[in-house]
Amino acid sequence: MSVIIDVGNCIQLLRSCSAVAGQQLHQLLLKSGHVPSSLPPSNSLLLMYARCSPLHQHDARRLFDEMPVKNCFSYNSVITSHLNSRDHHAALNIFRSMPERNTFSWNTIITGIVSTGNLDMARSLLIEMPVKDPVACNAVLHRYVRRGRADEAFALLRTVGQCSGADASSPWNDPFVLATIVGACADWMKYDFGRQAHARMVVSKIEQDLVLSCALVNMYCKCGDLDSARYVLNGLTQVDEFSLSALIYGYASCGHLHEAIRLFDRKEEPSIAMWNSLISGCAFACCGNDAFALFARMMRSDVLPDSSTYASILNVCGFSVMVNPGQQIHGCGLKCGAVNDIIVASALIDFYSKCGLWEDACRAFRELRFHDTIVLNSMITVYSNCGQIEEARRIFDMITGKSVISWNSMVVGLSQNGHARDALGLFCEMHRLGLRLDKVAIASALSASSSICSISFGEQIFSLATVLGLQSDHVVASSLIDLYCKCGSLANGCRIFEEIDKPDEVLWNSMLIGHASNGYGHEALELLELMKTKGIKPSERTFIAVLSACCHSGLVKEGLTWFHRMQADFSVSPSAEHYACVTDLLVRAGRLEESVEFIENMPFEADAVSWTTVIGGCKAQGNEAMMRKVAKKLMEMESSHPSLYVQLSSGLASLGDWTKSAEIRSMITLSYFHVLCCQPIPGPHVGGSAAAKDVNKWLDEIIGGYDSSIREFHGGDDQKLLISLLKILCRHYGSSGIAGPEMAVTKLFSSCKSSGAHKGEYGAIVHCMKNIPSENQIQATAKEVQNPLVSGRRKEALQ
């Protein structure tokens, strides 16, 4: 017996009811016989199921299959239901089975396929579409642009425009499509195509609404055509804030700060967006002082800076190495709590990193409450640059959703810190996991291969780069040239170089360094002349390679000539590394007195490398007089480089002057304490630098030889104790193990306490050892000392 119901009322209820109420109405309509025989209520039910939860996809499909009569609305509803439940294959099959399709059908299936990311299928459907609707076209174009495939989006629009002709309904004439295209032209700097789109608007007399006009102003500003941007802006009946901010940014980023400020001052009460546009424009133009002055002016106004403001000003401070202004910005951020924002924190870490203030960067990171992948990636680079590779690896391991940048940063860090095999292992893991390998990963793996002189592995990596289409990339090619040259295969390096079209300065420098390291000095100078004829201007790195080539080939005259020409002819000021190369050149030629005079006439204090080179030359040539002269000069200078004293002590000992050697050794302890307490150490392990490694080696030798009966100085046990403490600091600074430094200190003091009673001639140390606390107290104190030591508070720990 059929149930009598009001069908119209049911259809009205189905438009807004929930899935549960809709199922109840479905049962009533089914009992009354209106479903599935009648089309209107059946279509209403299909639409209700499509609108509600994807869990009801099967109910919609069952009803659709039971319907004896279907129309486009029926098909469209069930297609929508399948798309909502992500069953795109079934939706496409139903679409293909439709006897006839309307515009809504095409738009529904195309936008649904676009949401899956299958742009090739969406494109083919759009081409197949009889009448190209702007909705479907804009959906495909927008996704192409979002995927970074702007050129394909432009090509598709040309194809669609040719199919549509001069029809007024053509996507070319749709404001939304044009806004998408113009926005893509702005993001990808496609100035020519953007002008074509603008010309199309003018020819077709398309009304430029506010969105389209803003997009045009933004496009012209980013492409550097400020006159056209100003022309579009002047044509607006009402100038909106977005367009004005875009033009202000355009003028500021191109260096026209006065014009940007003039536009900015037209607003009586500029918003935070306009302030950010002005400051970020100055930051882009690297006008650090101007950006800082504008930030100060903003702080005096009624508008408070936001995270974008702080990020922009910190970025320009980091790029321009403006330490004091950047620290003032940090202070402002601390006062208002802006540093807790993840964007500001990331910019702050980047600022300290670019300024070389690694400890401050690490402190900023430790003060963060929350981390994201971007910040953690930055800290991998920070810890790697300051030698804390274990801490960098710990950060890498704690990232749950590692990006390609995370992997690349870790590979680069391992390679730069001498862990070549670990870097190659991580690279192989990237390849095994199917991650996208870019030029950074390939170049880092090639650099790691060159550091262990593994040509076979490097060639395998380059084969992979060829498969990926990266063989012609200058960064990859430069790394491969370095690999061949370091392994002595200069011919293969030259072959790779010759295959590169229009090599840049980096590739030329790689070839110069390759010739220098293999002893081809004359060929390196010929290559330099060829580089000049190609219009490539030599840089600081170029002249380091040239001077190194002269040094390794004994070309003293040529080396000195190029050293003087680099500033006179190429306006390249010599750095400490250039002076070190010339010093090495003179020392190798046996001209020790000239090398010392050269060092003394440097425009800045000579570094440890230059003096170590002279000491090595004196030792090799047996020049005792010059060695004593250098020793006297260094002791007068009170240099804080431990490696100098290590080399000097070793050199004097080799010449038989044991007394002077012992005196120099005693200075090493004071110098090393100065390094620990006063100098910033790039990393938790003091022995990370070459100088600290030299001191570590000396500490091992001196501690091991202390049982000798020879006492070159009074109070030898005191110094042995001090040196042993230094060794513990070297080995355990930054260690997190419970049985680390505190156990070593306990053992050391216990040993001294037990042996001190038998050495009556050293009353001070005997008294000290007799009155020290118990071993448990020593262990507790040492454990307490470890905390400030690990956190970088070296002075506090040593006190």
Side-chain angles (χ1 to χ4, degrees):
M1 179 177 178
S2 61
V3 179
I4 300 174
I5 61 172
D6 187 347
V7 177
N9 191 30
C10 290
I11 292 175
Q12 187 69 26
L13 291 172
L14 285 170
R15 292 176 181 175
S16 58
C17 68
S18 64
V20 176
Q23 286 180 316
Q24 296 175 354
L25 290 171
H26 188 176
Q27 293 177 2
L28 287 174
L29 291 169
L30 190 64
K31 290 179 179 179
S32 65
H34 292 90
V35 172
S37 57
S38 178
L39 193 58
S42 299
N43 280 345
S44 298
L45 281 170
L46 285 175
L47 184 61
M48 182 273 299
Y49 283 127
R51 175 177 52 79
C52 293
S53 172
L55 299 174
H56 298 284
Q57 167 209 348
H58 298 293
D59 295 328
R61 183 56 187 267
R62 187 182 304 110
L63 173 60
F64 177 79
D65 292 337
E66 293 173 352
M67 291 173 60
V69 180
K70 307 178 184 72
N71 59 7
C72 279
F73 188 93
S74 311
Y75 281 96
N76 293 340
S77 298
V78 76
I79 288 172
T80 303
S81 176
H82 281 295
L83 291 173
N84 290 342
S85 61
R86 300 188 178 277
D87 191 355
H88 305 98
H89 183 71
L92 190 58
N93 288 337
I94 294 175
F95 175 79
R96 293 295 185 193
S97 67
M98 292 180 70
E100 59 180 34
R101 309 178 185 106
N102 57 15
T103 302
F104 186 86
S105 307
W106 285 98
N107 288 343
T108 301
I109 193 63
I110 290 174
T111 53
I113 296 300
V114 164
S115 66
T116 68
N118 190 350
L119 289 179
D120 293 333
M121 174 62 71
R123 183 184 187 281
S124 62
L125 286 170
L126 182 62
I127 299 298
E128 184 184 347
M129 189 176 184
V131 179
K132 308 299 185 285
D133 188 75
V135 173
C137 185
N138 194 46
V140 179
L141 292 173
H142 186 72
R143 183 53 66 97
Y144 267 118
V145 173
R146 288 282 300 276
R147 289 285 186 89
R149 298 162 66 177
D151 290 331
E152 294 178 66
F154 300 149
L156 177 60
L157 185 59
R158 288 193 187 98
T159 303
V160 171
Q162 291 171 359
C163 296
S164 303
D167 189 358
S169 62
S170 170
W172 258 116
N173 299 327
D174 183 75
F176 292 100
V177 173
L178 288 169
T180 298
I181 291 300
V182 172
C185 293
D187 294 336
W188 297 93
M189 307 293 285
K190 300 292 184 179
Y191 176 69
D192 292 335
F193 201 89
R195 282 189 63 85
Q196 293 177 35
H198 190 189
R200 181 65 180 247
M201 300 176 204
V202 175
V203 172
S204 301
K205 298 181 180 180
I206 298 172
E207 182 181 354
Q208 297 180 20
D209 58 8
L210 195 58
V211 174
L212 196 52
S213 299
C214 292
L216 282 171
V217 172
N218 186 42
M219 184 271 294
Y220 281 125
C221 288
K222 287 186 176 179
C223 295
D225 188 355
L226 299 178
D227 292 335
S228 297
R230 190 66 175 267
Y231 175 80
V232 175
L233 186 72
N234 291 336
L236 294 176
T237 55
Q238 180 182 357
V239 178
D240 68 299
E241 193 173 275
F242 180 84
S243 300
L244 189 58
S245 298
L247 191 57
I248 289 171
Y249 175 84
Y251 276 114
S253 61
C254 292
H256 303 300
L257 184 58
H258 292 295
E259 185 64 25
I261 293 177
R262 195 178 69 81
L263 282 171
F264 177 82
D265 291 337
R266 284 171 53 179
K267 275 280 189 179
E268 293 182 0
E269 296 180 358
S271 66
I272 184 66
M274 293 183 65
W275 278 105
N276 287 343
S277 297
L278 188 59
I279 293 175
S280 60
C282 289
F284 184 84
C286 301
C287 302
N289 293 326
D290 293 326
F292 187 73
L294 287 169
F295 180 83
R297 175 183 166 185
M298 181 182 183
M299 294 294 291
R300 293 192 296 267
S301 70
D302 296 332
V303 180
L304 294 177
D306 62 3
S307 59
S308 298
T309 317
Y310 280 104
S312 297
I313 195 68
L314 285 171
N315 284 336
V316 72
C317 288
F319 187 83
S320 304
V321 196
M322 297 168 58
V323 178
N324 289 334
Q327 290 175 334
Q328 293 179 44
I329 299 297
H330 185 184
C332 292
L334 284 171
K335 287 182 179 179
C336 66
V339 292
N340 295 324
D341 185 273
I342 201 71
I343 297 175
V344 178
S346 179
L348 186 63
I349 292 170
D350 185 62
F351 155 69
Y352 282 123
S353 302
K354 287 178 179 175
C355 294
L357 303 174
W358 308 113
E359 292 185 1
D360 292 319
C362 295
R363 187 181 302 109
F365 173 71
R366 288 193 296 267
E367 291 173 355
L368 276 180
R369 299 176 183 175
F370 307 101
H371 309 134
D372 65 354
T373 304
I374 297 175
V375 171
L376 295 176
N377 289 343
S378 299
M379 288 310 301
I380 292 175
T381 303
V382 169
Y383 282 124
S384 298
N385 287 339
C386 61
Q388 302 185 32
I389 195 62
E390 293 179 359
E391 189 66 17
R393 188 58 191 256
R394 186 184 69 82
I395 295 293
F396 175 77
D397 292 336
M398 69 184 285
I399 301 177
T400 53
K402 297 181 180 66
S403 64
V404 175
I405 298 176
S406 309
W407 288 88
N408 286 349
S409 301
M410 196 66 244
V411 172
V412 171
L414 290 168
S415 178
Q416 290 178 346
N417 283 272
H419 298 269
R421 297 187 184 278
D422 293 335
L424 292 174
L426 202 63
F427 176 82
C428 293
E429 181 69 9
M430 288 180 68
H431 185 51
R432 187 185 67 81
L433 294 174
L435 297 174
R436 180 176 58 86
L437 299 175
D438 57 8
K439 62 181 181 181
V440 177
I442 296 290
S444 301
L446 286 171
S447 297
S449 300
S450 66
S451 64
I452 59 175
C453 295
S454 177
I455 288 184
S456 60
F457 199 90
E459 288 179 336
Q460 293 179 45
I461 295 171
F462 187 68
S463 299
L464 178 60
T466 304
V467 172
L468 297 173
L470 298 173
Q471 71 277 7
S472 298
D473 183 84
H474 287 189
V475 177
V476 174
S478 177
S479 298
L480 185 63
I481 290 171
D482 289 340
L483 168 67
Y484 280 128
C485 292
K486 285 182 179 179
C487 296
S489 183
L490 184 61
N492 283 327
C494 293
R495 177 178 55 82
I496 296 297
F497 178 77
E498 291 169 357
E499 293 175 355
I500 300 297
D501 183 33
K502 296 180 180 180
D504 58 6
E505 179 205 324
V506 176
L507 284 167
W508 283 98
N509 290 345
S510 296
M511 286 305 304
L512 286 169
I513 293 171
H515 281 83
S517 60
N518 285 275
Y520 293 93
H522 291 288
E523 290 79 359
L525 295 180
E526 292 174 1
L527 196 64
L528 176 63
E529 294 293 342
L530 180 61
M531 175 182 176
K532 289 164 54 184
T533 61
K534 298 292 185 181
I536 306 297
K537 184 180 178 181
S539 64
E540 289 187 10
R541 186 69 178 166
T542 306
F543 286 107
I544 289 173
V546 170
L547 294 174
S548 178
C550 294
C551 180
H552 286 85
S553 302
L555 304 175
V556 181
K557 181 180 177 181
E558 292 83 352
L560 292 174
T561 300
W562 279 110
F563 176 78
H564 294 298
R565 284 189 61 187
M566 60 184 286
Q567 185 167 18
D569 298 346
F570 303 97
S571 301
V572 177
S573 300
S575 66
E577 198 167 356
H578 295 106
Y579 278 96
C581 288
V582 176
T583 304
D584 193 22
L585 176 68
L586 295 171
V587 169
R588 287 172 183 261
R591 297 157 66 167
L592 292 176
E593 292 185 3
E594 191 176 346
S595 66
V596 172
E597 183 181 355
F598 182 78
I599 291 176
E600 290 174 343
N601 292 328
M602 286 183 182
F604 39 75
E605 183 181 353
D607 59 4
V609 176
S610 298
W611 283 115
T612 303
T613 302
V614 176
I615 293 170
C618 295
K619 183 178 177 181
Q621 298 176 32
N623 194 330
E624 184 177 353
M626 182 60 68
M627 179 80 78
R628 292 179 183 277
K629 181 179 179 181
V630 172
K632 182 180 178 181
K633 190 173 295 294
L634 289 178
M635 294 174 76
E636 291 174 354
M637 291 169 52
E638 297 183 353
S639 173
S640 61
H641 293 288
S643 61
L644 288 178
Y645 295 121
V646 173
Q647 292 287 337
L648 194 57
S649 174
S650 176
L652 290 169
S654 68
L655 295 175
D657 193 343
W658 295 99
T659 303
K660 199 69 174 178
S661 176
E663 185 180 348
I664 297 296
R665 284 188 174 189
S666 66
M667 293 183 65
I668 297 177
T669 304
L670 297 176
S671 173
Y672 199 46
F673 258 127
H674 177 71
V675 171
L676 280 173
C677 299
C678 306
Q679 299 295 327
I681 299 177
H685 299 290
V686 178
S689 64
K693 288 179 180 177
D694 290 338
V695 175
N696 266 322
K697 182 179 178 182
W698 176 80
L699 289 174
D700 285 330
E701 292 174 355
I702 202 68
I703 291 172
Y706 247 100
D707 291 335
S708 172
S709 59
I710 300 176
R711 298 286 186 180
E712 294 96 348
F713 51 85
H714 187 69
D717 288 328
D718 293 322
Q719 185 156 346
K720 179 178 179 181
L721 175 61
L722 182 60
I723 292 170
S724 300
L725 283 168
L726 281 172
K727 189 62 188 176
I728 291 172
L729 289 175
C730 287
R731 287 177 172 169
H732 299 287
Y733 178 45
S735 174
S736 58
I738 295 178
E742 64 272 13
M743 291 302 296
V745 173
T746 302
K747 183 178 179 181
L748 172 69
F749 272 89
S750 299
S751 174
C752 290
K753 182 177 180 179
S754 61
S755 61
H758 304 292
K759 298 182 180 178
E761 64 239 21
Y762 302 116
I765 194 168
V766 171
H767 178 77
C768 177
M769 292 298 103
K770 283 182 177 180
N771 291 281
I772 62 173
S774 65
E775 293 184 12
N776 290 336
Q777 289 174 313
I778 293 172
Q779 184 171 354
T781 304
K783 192 172 182 181
E784 183 180 352
V785 168
Q786 183 185 4
N787 293 327
L789 202 59
V790 170
S791 61
R793 304 194 302 276
R794 291 182 295 278
K795 287 186 179 180
E796 181 182 337
L798 289 171
Q799 287 168 0

